[in-house]
Amino acid sequence: MSEEFNLQLDDDEEECPPAGAARGWREGLPPRPGGIDPPGTNTAELSAFADEVTRTRDRIVILGRRGAGKTVFLARLYQELWRRTEGLQARALDGNAHQRFMECIEAMGNGRWPEATLAQRWADLELRYGSRIWTLRVLDYPGEVFRRAFVEGAEDDAADMLRSHVDAAAAVLVLIDPVAARSGSLEASVDAEFGMSAALRRVHERAGDHAVPVAVVLTKCDVALPHINEAGGARQYLESHLPGLVRDGGVFRVFASSAVRAQADALGTLRPVPEKDALGIVQPLQWCLKCLARESGGEAL
Ligand SMILES: Nc1nc2c(ncn2[C@@H]2O[C@H](COP(=O)(O)OP(=O)(O)O)[C@@H](O)[C@H]2O)c(=O)[nH]1
Ligand SMILES: [Mg+2]
């Protein structure tokens, strides 16, 4: 139970996906109809694959359709972790990137949401915990690119780029706007759900014995909570509105977040109120890092 949101989340709060979870999940899947080749299932192939995975999975990837709340989430996460002097900390890769995060925070301080175009030039974050350094990378593509990349196996640049980032993910945060998932356009939600399910399926298929932690983060819970509660809780919400994601998304944990609280102004427009604390933005990441540390026998968070 999340005290902050009075919302039913997963019971096994601390549970990381067990090693081999992805393999067990994969074995239960029906044969794959064309497109992307899963790794073989014999032991030698799997262990070669696992070695490859350890070498190349060096980043934490944030996925989410346009408008899911990625830019706001990342800026607020940065604001929180940049100030920290111990534990999990973050720094932008250069001064320009730092400035863009701060501009986003400043805009919200003035009652404006960040420009959607910021997405194009959004930067990675470097996360530090003790001696470990991870890159946190946001992938901002429309739903149809997800579909092309993961469902149709298209070879264009955007699809190639998206697949290569997803294949390098040591952990994945999937951001979902619960209101849009319920009431957005049919085309957009079909692409987003189908494409996202296929992306997660690929992550798990290619992970070998290395279970890649996947955190599904319901965003904007300051306004979305009634919709989620109406469904009976976070997981039930996903089951009724994004069933394909639940079925094909493999092992994941659900989190609820509100990066910025919104309040209606005199005209009824929702404006950001960044003076109020963000809720639930560090936990999904912390959980992923904890799972990664456990898997590599490294420092616990
Ligand atoms: N109420 C509320 N609205 C949010 C929150 N985060 C984002 N939004 C709204 O969602 C819109 C899209 O967010 P953005 O971060 O730009 O999405 P992106 O396209 O995934 O980067 C914003 O302009 C806000 O209107 C939040 O935490 N709470
Ligand atoms: Mg954005």
Side-chain angles (χ1 to χ4, degrees):
M1 183 79 127
S2 157
E3 279 173 21
E4 290 159 331
F5 287 116
N6 189 25
L7 173 65
Q8 185 65 45
L9 295 171
D10 293 349
D11 291 334
D12 51 347
E13 290 263 348
E14 298 305 319
E15 206 48 51
C16 292
R23 183 157 54 149
W25 170 81
R26 191 176 60 236
E27 280 162 0
L29 279 177
R32 195 84 168 78
I36 299 146
D37 293 331
T41 44
N42 75 50
T43 316
E45 264 180 77
L46 273 174
S47 90
F49 203 80
D51 289 349
E52 180 69 17
V53 164
T54 320
R55 253 198 324 277
T56 54
R57 291 191 179 266
D58 63 349
R59 65 199 73 163
I60 296 159
V61 168
I62 299 185
L63 298 175
R65 58 188 276 195
R66 290 264 156 90
K70 298 179 298 295
T71 300
V72 172
F73 186 91
L74 192 69
R76 291 285 272 177
L77 186 66
Y78 185 68
Q79 184 187 28
E80 164 82 28
L81 299 182
W82 168 249
R83 297 194 280 232
R84 290 197 181 172
T85 51
E86 56 182 12
L88 179 62
Q89 297 164 43
R91 72 195 308 276
L93 294 182
D94 59 49
N96 290 333
H98 177 89
Q99 181 162 339
R100 287 201 294 276
F101 284 119
M102 292 306 159
E103 281 168 2
C104 179
I105 298 295
E106 187 182 59
M108 290 194 283
N110 294 325
R112 285 181 288 112
W113 296 104
E115 304 284 335
T117 48
L118 269 180
Q120 285 0 301
R121 51 194 184 96
W122 206 252
D124 298 336
L125 271 189
E126 188 182 86
L127 295 170
R128 283 169 184 266
Y129 184 79
S131 58
R132 293 300 300 267
I133 297 182
W134 297 95
T135 299
L136 183 65
R137 172 158 298 169
V138 176
L139 301 183
D140 201 337
Y141 293 91
E144 67 264 20
V145 180
F146 271 92
R147 192 187 171 89
R148 282 210 308 279
F150 297 109
V151 182
E152 295 164 5
E155 300 288 335
D156 59 278
D157 287 353
D160 278 347
M161 182 84 84
L162 193 51
R163 276 193 299 266
S164 69
H165 285 310
V166 164
D167 288 347
V172 181
L173 264 60
V174 179
L175 266 52
I176 289 175
D177 171 356
V179 182
R182 187 169 177 264
S183 57
S185 84
L186 181 66
E187 202 187 344
S189 62
V190 166
D191 275 353
E193 184 186 7
F194 205 73
M196 191 68 76
S197 312
L200 292 183
R201 186 170 167 150
R202 177 171 169 121
V203 165
H204 290 303
E205 278 175 354
R206 298 188 157 230
D209 271 347
H210 292 254
V212 174
V214 174
V216 172
V217 185
L218 300 175
T219 57
K220 313 182 194 179
C221 283
D222 51 299
V223 294
L225 203 57
H227 300 292
I228 304 170
N229 278 332
E230 198 183 297
R235 193 152 288 256
Q236 289 87 338
Y237 178 89
L238 289 174
E239 278 165 5
S240 46
H241 298 291
L242 298 167
L245 191 76
V246 176
R247 194 197 51 222
D248 286 350
V251 185
F252 61 80
R253 261 209 62 191
V254 189
F255 293 85
S257 77
S258 164
V260 175
R261 248 68 78 80
Q263 224 162 41
D265 66 12
L267 297 173
T269 309
L270 283 177
R271 302 267 177 207
V273 188
E275 306 80 57
K276 292 191 181 164
D277 284 343
L279 296 176
I281 52 170
V282 182
Q283 289 87 334
L285 181 61
Q286 206 147 334
W287 175 77
C288 289
L289 292 170
K290 194 179 80 180
C291 296
L292 295 175
R294 188 171 297 176
E295 177 140 313
S296 65
E299 298 150 277
L301 274 179

